[in-house]
PDB file of all heavy atoms in Angstrom:
ATOM      1  N   LYS A  12      -3.176  -9.856   2.102  1.00 96.00           N
ATOM      2  CA  LYS A  12      -3.572  -9.627   0.699  1.00 96.00           C
ATOM      3  C   LYS A  12      -4.592  -8.462   0.552  1.00 96.00           C
ATOM      4  O   LYS A  12      -4.423  -7.581  -0.364  1.00 96.00           O
ATOM      5  CB  LYS A  12      -4.230 -10.951   0.147  1.00 96.00           C
ATOM      6  CG  LYS A  12      -4.587 -10.809  -1.230  1.00 96.00           C
ATOM      7  CD  LYS A  12      -5.305 -12.074  -1.764  1.00 96.00           C
ATOM      8  CE  LYS A  12      -5.790 -11.951  -3.230  1.00 96.00           C
ATOM      9  NZ  LYS A  12      -6.916 -12.631  -3.615  1.00 96.00           N
ATOM     10  N   ALA A  13      -5.523  -8.343   1.465  1.00 95.00           N
ATOM     11  CA  ALA A  13      -6.431  -7.302   1.399  1.00 95.00           C
ATOM     12  C   ALA A  13      -5.912  -5.933   1.713  1.00 95.00           C
ATOM     13  O   ALA A  13      -6.168  -4.964   0.962  1.00 95.00           O
ATOM     14  CB  ALA A  13      -7.630  -7.592   2.502  1.00 95.00           C
ATOM     15  N   TRP A  14      -4.802  -5.885   2.625  1.00 96.00           N
ATOM     16  CA  TRP A  14      -4.167  -4.683   2.803  1.00 96.00           C
ATOM     17  C   TRP A  14      -3.450  -4.253   1.565  1.00 96.00           C
ATOM     18  O   TRP A  14      -3.448  -3.070   1.145  1.00 96.00           O
ATOM     19  CB  TRP A  14      -3.193  -4.777   4.014  1.00 96.00           C
ATOM     20  CG  TRP A  14      -2.317  -3.668   4.104  1.00 96.00           C
ATOM     21  CD1 TRP A  14      -2.656  -2.359   4.554  1.00 96.00           C
ATOM     22  CD2 TRP A  14      -0.890  -3.528   3.779  1.00 96.00           C
ATOM     23  NE1 TRP A  14      -1.503  -1.486   4.509  1.00 96.00           N
ATOM     24  CE2 TRP A  14      -0.434  -2.232   3.952  1.00 96.00           C
ATOM     25  CE3 TRP A  14       0.104  -4.453   3.142  1.00 96.00           C
ATOM     26  CZ2 TRP A  14       0.835  -1.736   3.739  1.00 96.00           C
ATOM     27  CZ3 TRP A  14       1.304  -4.047   2.976  1.00 96.00           C
ATOM     28  CH2 TRP A  14       1.679  -2.677   3.177  1.00 96.00           C
ATOM     29  N   LYS A  15      -2.675  -5.156   0.907  1.00 95.00           N
ATOM     30  CA  LYS A  15      -1.957  -4.883  -0.349  1.00 95.00           C
ATOM     31  C   LYS A  15      -2.869  -4.328  -1.447  1.00 95.00           C
ATOM     32  O   LYS A  15      -2.601  -3.434  -2.174  1.00 95.00           O
ATOM     33  CB  LYS A  15      -1.179  -6.059  -0.814  1.00 95.00           C
ATOM     34  CG  LYS A  15       0.054  -6.387   0.094  1.00 95.00           C
ATOM     35  CD  LYS A  15       0.696  -7.712  -0.319  1.00 95.00           C
ATOM     36  CE  LYS A  15       1.488  -8.323   0.723  1.00 95.00           C
ATOM     37  NZ  LYS A  15       1.989  -9.586   0.359  1.00 95.00           N
ATOM     38  N   GLU A  16      -3.980  -4.917  -1.497  1.00 93.00           N
ATOM     39  CA  GLU A  16      -5.003  -4.452  -2.531  1.00 93.00           C
ATOM     40  C   GLU A  16      -5.511  -3.119  -2.249  1.00 93.00           C
ATOM     41  O   GLU A  16      -5.685  -2.337  -3.210  1.00 93.00           O
ATOM     42  CB  GLU A  16      -6.205  -5.481  -2.584  1.00 93.00           C
ATOM     43  CG  GLU A  16      -5.842  -6.848  -3.180  1.00 93.00           C
ATOM     44  CD  GLU A  16      -6.844  -7.871  -3.053  1.00 93.00           C
ATOM     45  OE1 GLU A  16      -7.934  -7.677  -2.447  1.00 93.00           O
ATOM     46  OE2 GLU A  16      -6.630  -9.055  -3.575  1.00 93.00           O
ATOM     47  N   ARG A  17      -5.737  -2.805  -1.026  1.00 93.00           N
ATOM     48  CA  ARG A  17      -6.171  -1.450  -0.671  1.00 93.00           C
ATOM     49  C   ARG A  17      -5.084  -0.414  -0.950  1.00 93.00           C
ATOM     50  O   ARG A  17      -5.292   0.672  -1.391  1.00 93.00           O
ATOM     51  CB  ARG A  17      -6.603  -1.282   0.821  1.00 93.00           C
ATOM     52  CG  ARG A  17      -7.933  -2.029   1.042  1.00 93.00           C
ATOM     53  CD  ARG A  17      -8.442  -1.712   2.455  1.00 93.00           C
ATOM     54  NE  ARG A  17      -7.523  -2.157   3.503  1.00 93.00           N
ATOM     55  CZ  ARG A  17      -7.568  -3.482   4.138  1.00 93.00           C
ATOM     56  NH1 ARG A  17      -8.399  -4.372   3.689  1.00 93.00           N
ATOM     57  NH2 ARG A  17      -6.681  -3.729   5.080  1.00 93.00           N
ATOM     58  N   LEU A  18      -3.824  -0.833  -0.525  1.00 93.00           N
ATOM     59  CA  LEU A  18      -2.691   0.084  -0.808  1.00 93.00           C
ATOM     60  C   LEU A  18      -2.384   0.366  -2.250  1.00 93.00           C
ATOM     61  O   LEU A  18      -1.914   1.447  -2.568  1.00 93.00           O
ATOM     62  CB  LEU A  18      -1.437  -0.581  -0.165  1.00 93.00           C
ATOM     63  CG  LEU A  18      -0.162   0.183  -0.257  1.00 93.00           C
ATOM     64  CD1 LEU A  18      -0.208   1.506   0.624  1.00 93.00           C
ATOM     65  CD2 LEU A  18       0.966  -0.657   0.185  1.00 93.00           C
ATOM     66  N   ALA A  19      -2.726  -0.575  -3.127  1.00 93.00           N
ATOM     67  CA  ALA A  19      -2.447  -0.336  -4.487  1.00 93.00           C
ATOM     68  C   ALA A  19      -3.054   0.760  -5.130  1.00 93.00           C
ATOM     69  O   ALA A  19      -2.702   1.196  -6.276  1.00 93.00           O
ATOM     70  CB  ALA A  19      -2.773  -1.694  -5.231  1.00 93.00           C
ATOM     71  N   PHE A  20      -4.122   1.378  -4.553  1.00 94.00           N
ATOM     72  CA  PHE A  20      -4.857   2.547  -5.107  1.00 94.00           C
ATOM     73  C   PHE A  20      -4.868   3.713  -4.122  1.00 94.00           C
ATOM     74  O   PHE A  20      -5.094   3.501  -2.904  1.00 94.00           O
ATOM     75  CB  PHE A  20      -6.318   2.053  -5.461  1.00 94.00           C
ATOM     76  CG  PHE A  20      -6.298   1.104  -6.577  1.00 94.00           C
ATOM     77  CD1 PHE A  20      -6.215  -0.263  -6.352  1.00 94.00           C
ATOM     78  CD2 PHE A  20      -6.368   1.577  -7.893  1.00 94.00           C
ATOM     79  CE1 PHE A  20      -6.227  -1.216  -7.419  1.00 94.00           C
ATOM     80  CE2 PHE A  20      -6.449   0.623  -9.060  1.00 94.00           C
ATOM     81  CZ  PHE A  20      -6.388  -0.701  -8.735  1.00 94.00           C
ATOM     82  N   ILE A  21      -4.902   4.834  -4.694  1.00 93.00           N
ATOM     83  CA  ILE A  21      -5.294   6.078  -3.987  1.00 93.00           C
ATOM     84  C   ILE A  21      -6.798   6.044  -3.976  1.00 93.00           C
ATOM     85  O   ILE A  21      -7.434   5.770  -4.855  1.00 93.00           O
ATOM     86  CB  ILE A  21      -4.752   7.333  -4.818  1.00 93.00           C
ATOM     87  CG1 ILE A  21      -3.337   7.358  -5.005  1.00 93.00           C
ATOM     88  CG2 ILE A  21      -5.280   8.621  -4.099  1.00 93.00           C
ATOM     89  CD1 ILE A  21      -2.468   7.542  -3.740  1.00 93.00           C
ATOM     90  N   ARG A  22      -7.344   6.399  -2.723  1.00 90.00           N
ATOM     91  CA  ARG A  22      -8.825   6.350  -2.602  1.00 90.00           C
ATOM     92  C   ARG A  22      -9.353   7.658  -2.191  1.00 90.00           C
ATOM     93  O   ARG A  22      -8.672   8.492  -1.554  1.00 90.00           O
ATOM     94  CB  ARG A  22      -9.085   5.284  -1.488  1.00 90.00           C
ATOM     95  CG  ARG A  22      -8.577   3.842  -1.979  1.00 90.00           C
ATOM     96  CD  ARG A  22      -8.819   2.795  -0.921  1.00 90.00           C
ATOM     97  NE  ARG A  22      -8.331   1.538  -1.479  1.00 90.00           N
ATOM     98  CZ  ARG A  22      -8.996   0.782  -2.217  1.00 90.00           C
ATOM     99  NH1 ARG A  22     -10.215   0.977  -2.588  1.00 90.00           N
ATOM    100  NH2 ARG A  22      -8.439  -0.460  -2.658  1.00 90.00           N
ATOM    101  N   ASP A  23     -10.615   7.814  -2.401  1.00 91.00           N
ATOM    102  CA  ASP A  23     -11.321   9.092  -2.026  1.00 91.00           C
ATOM    103  C   ASP A  23     -11.767   8.997  -0.567  1.00 91.00           C
ATOM    104  O   ASP A  23     -11.485   7.867   0.072  1.00 91.00           O
ATOM    105  CB  ASP A  23     -12.520   9.346  -2.906  1.00 91.00           C
ATOM    106  CG  ASP A  23     -13.595   8.398  -2.935  1.00 91.00           C
ATOM    107  OD1 ASP A  23     -13.650   7.554  -1.975  1.00 91.00           O
ATOM    108  OD2 ASP A  23     -14.346   8.331  -3.917  1.00 91.00           O
ATOM    109  N   ALA A  24     -12.432  10.017  -0.070  1.00 89.00           N
ATOM    110  CA  ALA A  24     -12.817  10.041   1.290  1.00 89.00           C
ATOM    111  C   ALA A  24     -13.766   8.915   1.682  1.00 89.00           C
ATOM    112  O   ALA A  24     -13.863   8.424   2.833  1.00 89.00           O
ATOM    113  CB  ALA A  24     -13.517  11.313   1.606  1.00 89.00           C
ATOM    114  N   GLN A  25     -14.447   8.266   0.669  1.00 87.00           N
ATOM    115  CA  GLN A  25     -15.324   7.243   1.009  1.00 87.00           C
ATOM    116  C   GLN A  25     -14.742   5.867   0.761  1.00 87.00           C
ATOM    117  O   GLN A  25     -15.295   4.758   0.977  1.00 87.00           O
ATOM    118  CB  GLN A  25     -16.622   7.301  -0.024  1.00 87.00           C
ATOM    119  CG  GLN A  25     -17.574   8.439   0.269  1.00 87.00           C
ATOM    120  CD  GLN A  25     -16.948   9.805  -0.056  1.00 87.00           C
ATOM    121  OE1 GLN A  25     -16.326   9.900  -1.187  1.00 87.00           O
ATOM    122  NE2 GLN A  25     -17.185  10.789   0.745  1.00 87.00           N
ATOM    123  N   GLY A  26     -13.416   5.856   0.516  1.00 84.00           N
ATOM    124  CA  GLY A  26     -12.711   4.596   0.335  1.00 84.00           C
ATOM    125  C   GLY A  26     -12.712   4.087  -1.135  1.00 84.00           C
ATOM    126  O   GLY A  26     -12.302   2.889  -1.247  1.00 84.00           O
ATOM    127  N   GLN A  27     -13.263   4.729  -2.078  1.00 90.00           N
ATOM    128  CA  GLN A  27     -13.399   4.236  -3.344  1.00 90.00           C
ATOM    129  C   GLN A  27     -12.107   4.467  -4.166  1.00 90.00           C
ATOM    130  O   GLN A  27     -11.535   5.573  -3.960  1.00 90.00           O
ATOM    131  CB  GLN A  27     -14.550   4.951  -4.182  1.00 90.00           C
ATOM    132  CG  GLN A  27     -15.932   4.567  -3.482  1.00 90.00           C
ATOM    133  CD  GLN A  27     -16.212   3.109  -3.408  1.00 90.00           C
ATOM    134  OE1 GLN A  27     -16.009   2.351  -4.348  1.00 90.00           O
ATOM    135  NE2 GLN A  27     -16.607   2.676  -2.175  1.00 90.00           N
ATOM    136  N   PRO A  28     -11.557   3.447  -4.896  1.00 92.00           N
ATOM    137  CA  PRO A  28     -10.368   3.668  -5.677  1.00 92.00           C
ATOM    138  C   PRO A  28     -10.501   4.831  -6.634  1.00 92.00           C
ATOM    139  O   PRO A  28     -11.486   4.953  -7.368  1.00 92.00           O
ATOM    140  CB  PRO A  28     -10.189   2.355  -6.367  1.00 92.00           C
ATOM    141  CG  PRO A  28     -11.001   1.381  -5.733  1.00 92.00           C
ATOM    142  CD  PRO A  28     -12.167   2.221  -5.104  1.00 92.00           C
ATOM    143  N   VAL A  29      -9.522   5.684  -6.643  1.00 94.00           N
ATOM    144  CA  VAL A  29      -9.538   6.839  -7.645  1.00 94.00           C
ATOM    145  C   VAL A  29      -8.495   6.530  -8.750  1.00 94.00           C
ATOM    146  O   VAL A  29      -8.860   6.725  -9.977  1.00 94.00           O
ATOM    147  CB  VAL A  29      -9.097   8.074  -6.928  1.00 94.00           C
ATOM    148  CG1 VAL A  29      -8.904   9.327  -7.893  1.00 94.00           C
ATOM    149  CG2 VAL A  29     -10.116   8.468  -5.812  1.00 94.00           C
ATOM    150  N   ARG A  30      -7.237   6.113  -8.410  1.00 96.00           N
ATOM    151  CA  ARG A  30      -6.285   5.807  -9.355  1.00 96.00           C
ATOM    152  C   ARG A  30      -5.190   4.858  -8.708  1.00 96.00           C
ATOM    153  O   ARG A  30      -5.222   4.741  -7.513  1.00 96.00           O
ATOM    154  CB  ARG A  30      -5.595   7.039  -9.893  1.00 96.00           C
ATOM    155  CG  ARG A  30      -4.943   7.863  -8.870  1.00 96.00           C
ATOM    156  CD  ARG A  30      -4.398   9.133  -9.491  1.00 96.00           C
ATOM    157  NE  ARG A  30      -4.055  10.135  -8.528  1.00 96.00           N
ATOM    158  CZ  ARG A  30      -2.988  10.177  -7.702  1.00 96.00           C
ATOM    159  NH1 ARG A  30      -2.074   9.257  -7.795  1.00 96.00           N
ATOM    160  NH2 ARG A  30      -2.819  11.158  -6.880  1.00 96.00           N
ATOM    161  N   GLU A  31      -4.488   4.249  -9.471  1.00 94.00           N
ATOM    162  CA  GLU A  31      -3.423   3.432  -8.965  1.00 94.00           C
ATOM    163  C   GLU A  31      -2.320   4.237  -8.214  1.00 94.00           C
ATOM    164  O   GLU A  31      -2.001   5.354  -8.654  1.00 94.00           O
ATOM    165  CB  GLU A  31      -2.647   2.591 -10.116  1.00 94.00           C
ATOM    166  CG  GLU A  31      -3.636   1.477 -10.604  1.00 94.00           C
ATOM    167  CD  GLU A  31      -2.803   0.595 -11.592  1.00 94.00           C
ATOM    168  OE1 GLU A  31      -1.714   0.228 -11.189  1.00 94.00           O
ATOM    169  OE2 GLU A  31      -3.373   0.241 -12.568  1.00 94.00           O
ATOM    170  N   ARG A  32      -1.787   3.650  -7.165  1.00 92.00           N
ATOM    171  CA  ARG A  32      -0.709   4.366  -6.465  1.00 92.00           C
ATOM    172  C   ARG A  32       0.592   4.070  -7.193  1.00 92.00           C
ATOM    173  O   ARG A  32       1.041   3.026  -7.400  1.00 92.00           O
ATOM    174  CB  ARG A  32      -0.661   3.812  -5.027  1.00 92.00           C
ATOM    175  CG  ARG A  32       0.369   4.478  -4.136  1.00 92.00           C
ATOM    176  CD  ARG A  32       0.377   3.802  -2.752  1.00 92.00           C
ATOM    177  NE  ARG A  32      -0.941   3.850  -2.068  1.00 92.00           N
ATOM    178  CZ  ARG A  32      -1.408   4.944  -1.465  1.00 92.00           C
ATOM    179  NH1 ARG A  32      -0.724   6.036  -1.391  1.00 92.00           N
ATOM    180  NH2 ARG A  32      -2.664   4.797  -0.854  1.00 92.00           N
ATOM    181  N   VAL A  33       1.209   5.203  -7.550  1.00 90.00           N
ATOM    182  CA  VAL A  33       2.511   5.153  -8.314  1.00 90.00           C
ATOM    183  C   VAL A  33       3.678   4.443  -7.450  1.00 90.00           C
ATOM    184  O   VAL A  33       4.444   3.722  -7.973  1.00 90.00           O
ATOM    185  CB  VAL A  33       2.994   6.578  -8.739  1.00 90.00           C
ATOM    186  CG1 VAL A  33       4.256   6.515  -9.454  1.00 90.00           C
ATOM    187  CG2 VAL A  33       1.907   7.058  -9.674  1.00 90.00           C
ATOM    188  N   ASN A  34       3.741   4.881  -6.083  1.00 88.00           N
ATOM    189  CA  ASN A  34       4.822   4.392  -5.283  1.00 88.00           C
ATOM    190  C   ASN A  34       4.369   3.078  -4.486  1.00 88.00           C
ATOM    191  O   ASN A  34       4.875   2.942  -3.313  1.00 88.00           O
ATOM    192  CB  ASN A  34       5.213   5.476  -4.455  1.00 88.00           C
ATOM    193  CG  ASN A  34       4.128   5.862  -3.430  1.00 88.00           C
ATOM    194  OD1 ASN A  34       2.896   5.720  -3.599  1.00 88.00           O
ATOM    195  ND2 ASN A  34       4.552   6.548  -2.313  1.00 88.00           N
ATOM    196  N   PHE A  35       3.493   2.297  -4.983  1.00 90.00           N
ATOM    197  CA  PHE A  35       3.030   1.096  -4.287  1.00 90.00           C
ATOM    198  C   PHE A  35       4.203   0.297  -3.787  1.00 90.00           C
ATOM    199  O   PHE A  35       4.230  -0.086  -2.620  1.00 90.00           O
ATOM    200  CB  PHE A  35       2.165   0.307  -5.250  1.00 90.00           C
ATOM    201  CG  PHE A  35       1.723  -1.061  -4.678  1.00 90.00           C
ATOM    202  CD1 PHE A  35       0.809  -1.155  -3.677  1.00 90.00           C
ATOM    203  CD2 PHE A  35       2.230  -2.159  -5.230  1.00 90.00           C
ATOM    204  CE1 PHE A  35       0.479  -2.325  -3.185  1.00 90.00           C
ATOM    205  CE2 PHE A  35       1.800  -3.450  -4.783  1.00 90.00           C
ATOM    206  CZ  PHE A  35       0.954  -3.458  -3.701  1.00 90.00           C
ATOM    207  N   ARG A  36       5.153  -0.069  -4.641  1.00 90.00           N
ATOM    208  CA  ARG A  36       6.332  -0.932  -4.209  1.00 90.00           C
ATOM    209  C   ARG A  36       7.150  -0.270  -3.078  1.00 90.00           C
ATOM    210  O   ARG A  36       7.538  -0.896  -2.149  1.00 90.00           O
ATOM    211  CB  ARG A  36       7.124  -1.337  -5.448  1.00 90.00           C
ATOM    212  CG  ARG A  36       6.394  -2.245  -6.261  1.00 90.00           C
ATOM    213  CD  ARG A  36       7.299  -2.855  -7.359  1.00 90.00           C
ATOM    214  NE  ARG A  36       6.544  -3.578  -8.292  1.00 90.00           N
ATOM    215  CZ  ARG A  36       6.235  -4.846  -8.242  1.00 90.00           C
ATOM    216  NH1 ARG A  36       6.631  -5.580  -7.057  1.00 90.00           N
ATOM    217  NH2 ARG A  36       5.585  -5.479  -9.065  1.00 90.00           N
ATOM    218  N   SER A  37       7.223   1.069  -3.158  1.00 89.00           N
ATOM    219  CA  SER A  37       8.098   1.754  -2.174  1.00 89.00           C
ATOM    220  C   SER A  37       7.399   1.610  -0.812  1.00 89.00           C
ATOM    221  O   SER A  37       8.061   1.416   0.246  1.00 89.00           O
ATOM    222  CB  SER A  37       8.047   3.295  -2.472  1.00 89.00           C
ATOM    223  OG  SER A  37       8.822   3.491  -3.680  1.00 89.00           O
ATOM    224  N   GLU A  38       6.044   1.676  -0.751  1.00 90.00           N
ATOM    225  CA  GLU A  38       5.335   1.494   0.496  1.00 90.00           C
ATOM    226  C   GLU A  38       5.585   0.113   1.050  1.00 90.00           C
ATOM    227  O   GLU A  38       5.712  -0.102   2.224  1.00 90.00           O
ATOM    228  CB  GLU A  38       3.910   1.847   0.301  1.00 90.00           C
ATOM    229  CG  GLU A  38       3.576   3.155  -0.023  1.00 90.00           C
ATOM    230  CD  GLU A  38       4.072   4.229   1.072  1.00 90.00           C
ATOM    231  OE1 GLU A  38       4.097   3.915   2.223  1.00 90.00           O
ATOM    232  OE2 GLU A  38       4.438   5.322   0.629  1.00 90.00           O
ATOM    233  N   LEU A  39       5.565  -0.869   0.206  1.00 94.00           N
ATOM    234  CA  LEU A  39       5.881  -2.293   0.587  1.00 94.00           C
ATOM    235  C   LEU A  39       7.298  -2.312   1.255  1.00 94.00           C
ATOM    236  O   LEU A  39       7.463  -3.164   2.212  1.00 94.00           O
ATOM    237  CB  LEU A  39       5.688  -3.226  -0.552  1.00 94.00           C
ATOM    238  CG  LEU A  39       4.361  -3.415  -1.146  1.00 94.00           C
ATOM    239  CD1 LEU A  39       4.371  -4.347  -2.407  1.00 94.00           C
ATOM    240  CD2 LEU A  39       3.380  -3.836  -0.046  1.00 94.00           C
ATOM    241  N   VAL A  40       8.234  -1.682   0.612  1.00 94.00           N
ATOM    242  CA  VAL A  40       9.657  -1.657   1.197  1.00 94.00           C
ATOM    243  C   VAL A  40       9.643  -1.215   2.567  1.00 94.00           C
ATOM    244  O   VAL A  40      10.315  -1.736   3.462  1.00 94.00           O
ATOM    245  CB  VAL A  40      10.558  -0.902   0.190  1.00 94.00           C
ATOM    246  CG1 VAL A  40      11.913  -0.668   0.856  1.00 94.00           C
ATOM    247  CG2 VAL A  40      10.689  -1.542  -1.169  1.00 94.00           C
ATOM    248  N   PHE A  41       8.870  -0.075   2.807  1.00 94.00           N
ATOM    249  CA  PHE A  41       8.919   0.453   4.229  1.00 94.00           C
ATOM    250  C   PHE A  41       8.360  -0.570   5.239  1.00 94.00           C
ATOM    251  O   PHE A  41       8.865  -0.628   6.283  1.00 94.00           O
ATOM    252  CB  PHE A  41       8.120   1.669   4.237  1.00 94.00           C
ATOM    253  CG  PHE A  41       8.619   2.886   3.439  1.00 94.00           C
ATOM    254  CD1 PHE A  41       7.661   3.705   2.674  1.00 94.00           C
ATOM    255  CD2 PHE A  41       9.862   3.170   3.391  1.00 94.00           C
ATOM    256  CE1 PHE A  41       8.240   4.686   1.936  1.00 94.00           C
ATOM    257  CE2 PHE A  41      10.426   4.140   2.607  1.00 94.00           C
ATOM    258  CZ  PHE A  41       9.574   5.039   1.966  1.00 94.00           C
ATOM    259  N   VAL A  42       7.267  -1.205   4.906  1.00 96.00           N
ATOM    260  CA  VAL A  42       6.692  -2.167   5.803  1.00 96.00           C
ATOM    261  C   VAL A  42       7.659  -3.335   5.958  1.00 96.00           C
ATOM    262  O   VAL A  42       7.806  -3.851   7.088  1.00 96.00           O
ATOM    263  CB  VAL A  42       5.299  -2.634   5.375  1.00 96.00           C
ATOM    264  CG1 VAL A  42       4.777  -3.708   6.211  1.00 96.00           C
ATOM    265  CG2 VAL A  42       4.314  -1.406   5.377  1.00 96.00           C
ATOM    266  N   ARG A  43       8.243  -3.863   4.893  1.00 96.00           N
ATOM    267  CA  ARG A  43       9.210  -4.917   4.942  1.00 96.00           C
ATOM    268  C   ARG A  43      10.303  -4.558   5.883  1.00 96.00           C
ATOM    269  O   ARG A  43      10.705  -5.362   6.788  1.00 96.00           O
ATOM    270  CB  ARG A  43       9.651  -5.374   3.636  1.00 96.00           C
ATOM    271  CG  ARG A  43      10.612  -6.611   3.583  1.00 96.00           C
ATOM    272  CD  ARG A  43      10.802  -7.088   2.152  1.00 96.00           C
ATOM    273  NE  ARG A  43      11.887  -7.982   2.118  1.00 96.00           N
ATOM    274  CZ  ARG A  43      11.767  -9.254   2.376  1.00 96.00           C
ATOM    275  NH1 ARG A  43      10.650  -9.795   2.706  1.00 96.00           N
ATOM    276  NH2 ARG A  43      12.871 -10.072   2.284  1.00 96.00           N
ATOM    277  N   ALA A  44      10.835  -3.409   5.752  1.00 95.00           N
ATOM    278  CA  ALA A  44      11.992  -2.913   6.593  1.00 95.00           C
ATOM    279  C   ALA A  44      11.582  -2.767   8.087  1.00 95.00           C
ATOM    280  O   ALA A  44      12.302  -3.112   8.929  1.00 95.00           O
ATOM    281  CB  ALA A  44      12.420  -1.608   6.086  1.00 95.00           C
ATOM    282  N   PHE A  45      10.353  -2.369   8.249  1.00 96.00           N
ATOM    283  CA  PHE A  45       9.822  -2.280   9.613  1.00 96.00           C
ATOM    284  C   PHE A  45       9.818  -3.733  10.252  1.00 96.00           C
ATOM    285  O   PHE A  45      10.307  -3.786  11.546  1.00 96.00           O
ATOM    286  CB  PHE A  45       8.393  -1.807   9.603  1.00 96.00           C
ATOM    287  CG  PHE A  45       7.603  -1.762  10.986  1.00 96.00           C
ATOM    288  CD1 PHE A  45       8.085  -1.062  11.946  1.00 96.00           C
ATOM    289  CD2 PHE A  45       6.426  -2.591  11.028  1.00 96.00           C
ATOM    290  CE1 PHE A  45       7.417  -1.062  13.224  1.00 96.00           C
ATOM    291  CE2 PHE A  45       5.794  -2.617  12.298  1.00 96.00           C
ATOM    292  CZ  PHE A  45       6.241  -1.877  13.301  1.00 96.00           C
ATOM    293  N   TYR A  46       9.353  -4.737   9.607  1.00 97.00           N
ATOM    294  CA  TYR A  46       9.407  -6.101  10.117  1.00 97.00           C
ATOM    295  C   TYR A  46      10.814  -6.554  10.413  1.00 97.00           C
ATOM    296  O   TYR A  46      11.158  -7.257  11.351  1.00 97.00           O
ATOM    297  CB  TYR A  46       8.644  -7.072   9.206  1.00 97.00           C
ATOM    298  CG  TYR A  46       7.224  -7.100   9.446  1.00 97.00           C
ATOM    299  CD1 TYR A  46       6.381  -6.131   8.898  1.00 97.00           C
ATOM    300  CD2 TYR A  46       6.656  -8.276  10.090  1.00 97.00           C
ATOM    301  CE1 TYR A  46       4.936  -6.325   9.052  1.00 97.00           C
ATOM    302  CE2 TYR A  46       5.194  -8.389  10.302  1.00 97.00           C
ATOM    303  CZ  TYR A  46       4.418  -7.357   9.842  1.00 97.00           C
ATOM    304  OH  TYR A  46       3.113  -7.418  10.023  1.00 97.00           O
ATOM    305  N   GLN A  47      11.663  -6.256   9.432  1.00 96.00           N
ATOM    306  CA  GLN A  47      13.102  -6.574   9.621  1.00 96.00           C
ATOM    307  C   GLN A  47      13.784  -5.919  10.839  1.00 96.00           C
ATOM    308  O   GLN A  47      14.523  -6.477  11.589  1.00 96.00           O
ATOM    309  CB  GLN A  47      13.953  -6.398   8.409  1.00 96.00           C
ATOM    310  CG  GLN A  47      13.491  -7.324   7.199  1.00 96.00           C
ATOM    311  CD  GLN A  47      14.123  -6.903   5.905  1.00 96.00           C
ATOM    312  OE1 GLN A  47      14.531  -5.769   5.713  1.00 96.00           O
ATOM    313  NE2 GLN A  47      14.113  -7.865   4.925  1.00 96.00           N
ATOM    314  N   ASP A  48      13.428  -4.618  10.890  1.00 97.00           N
ATOM    315  CA  ASP A  48      13.919  -3.912  12.174  1.00 97.00           C
ATOM    316  C   ASP A  48      13.425  -4.567  13.500  1.00 97.00           C
ATOM    317  O   ASP A  48      14.313  -4.739  14.376  1.00 97.00           O
ATOM    318  CB  ASP A  48      13.419  -2.396  12.124  1.00 97.00           C
ATOM    319  CG  ASP A  48      14.143  -1.577  11.021  1.00 97.00           C
ATOM    320  OD1 ASP A  48      15.189  -1.954  10.561  1.00 97.00           O
ATOM    321  OD2 ASP A  48      13.655  -0.441  10.812  1.00 97.00           O
ATOM    322  N   ILE A  49      12.335  -4.932  13.584  1.00 97.00           N
ATOM    323  CA  ILE A  49      11.799  -5.474  14.786  1.00 97.00           C
ATOM    324  C   ILE A  49      12.466  -6.748  15.119  1.00 97.00           C
ATOM    325  O   ILE A  49      12.907  -7.058  16.306  1.00 97.00           O
ATOM    326  CB  ILE A  49      10.293  -5.764  14.813  1.00 97.00           C
ATOM    327  CG1 ILE A  49       9.493  -4.390  14.793  1.00 97.00           C
ATOM    328  CG2 ILE A  49       9.825  -6.625  15.956  1.00 97.00           C
ATOM    329  CD1 ILE A  49       8.046  -4.481  14.601  1.00 97.00           C
TER     330      ILE A  49
END
């Protein structure tokens, strides 16, 4: 849950949220595919 919350936003160098990540769901697809590949 914490990872998904961090992924949902583009962050600055200090880790502060700058804006929502437009391709958030695409990144989730990549990780899901990785688990399925393994």
Side-chain angles (χ1 to χ4, degrees):
K12 181 180 180 213
W14 171 73
K15 291 173 196 175
E16 288 171 356
R17 289 189 300 272
L18 180 67
F20 291 89
I21 301 291
R22 297 178 181 273
D23 63 19
Q25 291 72 42
Q27 298 304 309
V29 175
R30 60 184 162 80
E31 286 189 45
R32 184 179 302 277
V33 175
N34 65 338
F35 172 70
R36 291 188 188 274
S37 298
E38 296 301 326
L39 294 178
V40 170
F41 295 140
V42 174
R43 185 171 166 81
F45 173 62
Y46 273 79
Q47 292 172 341
D48 285 345
I49 291 172

